[in-house]
């Protein structure tokens, strides 16, 4: 990670009228470990819903995709533990795949390859470490049809129009007839969403506060963690779950010679986790240049794997 960019982004965010920090900085080693804990939480229903759809409906999803041979390109693939279920089904159905997992972390891609090897033996895998906005361009000249996977409700972490820009970017990479499969958390009872970002055990609170700890560790900041609190809200009007850090005191914080003032109860906005309705997803598909879409939801109707065809 380039610490210079990190510092510039932190300085910019903490100098803004409404202070903010980008959620992409959650995921240092410690943050990634805490995120693994979140994924196991009773309140954080998302991974279980996604797994249920993959286990029960991979066959039906794959039946929509008419190619015998294709590249399956996964953005932000992580350890690939859920994707193997989908890949295994595709192989059973006689499809000849090349799996292209992309992730910013080369280490996690090694774990991914191990998983794939254990479950799927000699499936051709082409791991690509780095920023997928850059690495995906290296695939432009490959001939085979494409299915791009973007799982885990990561689309929810794009602010406003950025989600549309991102899906348009995927659309431009695809050829007519290619597919995009995206994991999306759906609008539902607001209490359920609120609890997912305010777990009883305080894991999400640790996750959020790790951002300040990371600034202390990597940029020599002097944040006092006890002087900040995690605050997670969900607004059913616009479907946005937002996370903040609240300053509990009037205080000054120093980072590498720069001073930042916090009024008592001033907030730092740290994350958006946008929720969508199926209707909004249909509109999104049209808006981003896709010609067809279909949604595969879990038994509770909490989550969708939405398939878009160019
Ligand atoms: C990675 N992302 C989809 C998670 C989410 O639900 O927005 C990150 C997260 N933040 C708090 N809990 C989980």
């Amino acid at each position: 990670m380039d610490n210079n960019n990190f510092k510039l982004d932190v300085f910019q965010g903490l100098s803004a009228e409404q202070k903010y920090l980008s959620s992409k900085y959650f995921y240092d080693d410690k943050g990634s470990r805490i995120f693994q804990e979140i994924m196991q939480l009773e309140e954080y229903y998302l991974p279980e819903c996604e797994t249920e759809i993959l286990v029960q409906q991979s066959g039906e999803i794959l039946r929509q995709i008419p190619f015998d041979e294709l590249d399956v390109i996964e953005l932000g693939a992580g350890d690939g533990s859920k994707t193997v279920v989908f890949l295994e089904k595709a192989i059973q159905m006689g499809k000849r795949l090349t799996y292209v997992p992309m992730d910013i972390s080369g280490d996690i891609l090694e774990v991914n390859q191990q998983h794939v090897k254990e479950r799927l033996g000699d499936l051709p895998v082409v791991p690509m470490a780095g920023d997928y906005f850059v690495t995906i361009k290296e695939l432009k000249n490959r001939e085979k049809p494409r299915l791009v996977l973007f799982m885990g409700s990561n689309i929810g972490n794009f602010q406003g129009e950025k989600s549309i820009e991102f899906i348009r970017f995927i659309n431009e990479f695809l050829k007519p007839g290619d597919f995009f499969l995206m994991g999306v958390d759906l609008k539902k009872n607001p209490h359920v969403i609120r609890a997912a970002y305010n777990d009883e055990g305080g894991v999400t609170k640790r996750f959020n506060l790790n951002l300040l700890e990371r600034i202390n560790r990597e940029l020599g900041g002097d944040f006092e963690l006890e002087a900040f609190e995690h605050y997670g809200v969900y607004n059913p009007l616009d479907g946005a779950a937002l996370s903040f850090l609240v300053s509990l005191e009037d205080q000054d914080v120093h980072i590498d010679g720069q001073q930042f003032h916090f009024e008592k109860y001033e907030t730092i906005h740290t994350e958006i986790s946008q929720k969508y309705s199926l209707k909004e997803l249909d509109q999104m598909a049209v808006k981003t240049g896709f010609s067809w879409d279909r949604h595969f939801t879990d038994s509770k109707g909490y989550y969708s794997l939405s398939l878009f065809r160019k």
Side-chain angles (χ1 to χ4, degrees):
M1 176 59 70
D2 180 348
N3 256 1
N4 224 6
N5 270 347
F6 180 35
K7 190 163 96 182
L8 285 176
D9 287 349
V10 167
F11 278 19
Q12 194 175 31
L14 296 184
S15 308
E17 183 67 20
Q18 165 61 62
K19 291 181 170 60
Y20 66 90
L21 291 168
S22 168
S23 60
K24 74 176 180 195
Y25 293 118
F26 279 143
Y27 303 92
D28 64 346
D29 286 348
K30 183 165 177 193
S32 301
R33 280 199 301 275
I34 304 175
F35 183 58
Q36 290 307 316
E37 280 183 62
I38 288 179
M39 303 260 277
Q40 309 293 325
L41 289 172
E42 181 74 36
E43 293 100 326
Y44 195 70
Y45 54 84
L46 290 78
E48 201 180 305
C49 295
E50 189 170 78
T51 302
E52 183 200 302
I53 304 167
L54 284 170
V55 169
Q56 296 183 5
Q57 300 184 66
S58 282
E60 188 54 22
I61 296 171
L62 285 155
R63 272 189 280 283
Q64 316 304 312
I65 301 174
F67 317 122
D68 295 331
E69 197 171 1
L70 71 155
D71 286 339
V72 178
I73 301 155
E74 182 167 22
L75 311 181
D79 70 6
S81 52
K82 276 189 268 172
T83 314
V84 286
V85 175
F86 182 76
L87 299 174
E88 189 168 44
K89 187 74 197 170
I91 293 166
Q92 279 167 12
M93 289 167 73
K95 295 189 186 285
R96 293 187 301 284
L97 310 177
T98 304
Y99 177 46
V100 187
M102 295 186 174
D103 205 285
I104 197 86
S105 156
D107 290 349
I108 199 81
L109 284 178
E110 279 177 29
V111 180
N112 180 305
Q113 251 181 307
Q114 203 53 41
H115 267 139
V116 173
K117 215 182 159 98
E118 276 162 24
R119 282 281 289 268
L120 306 172
D122 50 9
L123 172 75
V125 182
V126 183
M128 296 180 84
D131 179 347
Y132 50 67
F133 284 105
V134 180
T135 50
I136 202 168
K137 293 186 180 139
E138 292 171 29
L139 300 175
K140 268 276 176 203
N141 295 327
R142 283 176 74 96
E143 299 278 307
K144 284 190 231 165
R146 297 159 182 177
L147 165 64
V148 172
L149 306 179
F150 191 54
M151 313 294 263
S153 181
N154 288 320
I155 191 68
N157 297 132
F158 286 92
Q159 189 91 38
E161 274 295 298
K162 291 263 185 288
S163 57
I164 298 291
E165 282 167 30
F166 171 76
I167 300 173
R168 282 207 182 112
F169 168 78
I170 301 299
N171 182 280
E172 276 160 29
F173 165 73
L174 298 175
K175 297 173 289 207
D178 284 349
F179 288 85
F180 176 46
L181 184 67
M182 172 169 76
V184 188
D185 195 21
L186 298 174
K187 287 180 173 167
K188 61 183 68 62
N189 187 329
H191 291 291
V192 174
I193 298 175
R194 196 182 170 284
Y197 296 91
N198 292 281
D199 61 287
E200 286 282 328
V203 183
T204 310
K205 173 182 167 183
R206 271 197 283 128
F207 184 61
N208 207 2
L209 281 168
N210 178 56
L211 206 44
L212 304 186
E213 249 184 286
R214 180 174 181 186
I215 294 172
N216 287 353
R217 268 194 307 269
E218 292 183 29
L219 305 177
D222 63 358
F223 275 106
E224 282 183 30
L225 301 189
E226 316 73 56
F228 287 86
E229 194 172 67
H230 163 74
Y231 180 64
V233 273
Y234 174 64
N235 180 356
L237 283 178
D238 63 3
L242 302 177
S243 288
F244 297 91
L245 288 161
V246 185
S247 173
L248 298 175
E249 297 163 13
D250 196 70
Q251 56 183 318
D252 290 316
V253 171
H254 307 87
I255 306 167
D256 198 25
Q258 184 96 13
Q259 179 169 305
F260 298 95
H261 182 70
F262 291 81
E263 310 256 303
K264 191 171 185 182
Y265 302 135
E266 189 175 352
T267 57
I268 312 173
H269 175 215
T270 54
E271 188 176 46
I272 178 165
S273 302
Q274 183 67 41
K275 312 304 170 192
Y276 294 96
S277 67
L278 295 180
K279 197 168 148 200
E280 284 166 334
L281 290 169
D282 289 339
Q283 290 161 351
M284 213 166 182
V286 173
K287 215 169 158 182
T288 52
F290 287 88
S291 64
W292 172 98
D293 68 328
R294 186 171 155 190
H295 312 291
F296 300 84
T297 57
D298 65 297
S299 52
K300 292 204 206 86
Y302 278 8
Y303 195 91
S304 173
L305 284 185
S306 291
L307 185 64
F308 292 8
R309 184 179 64 216
K310 180 159 175 169

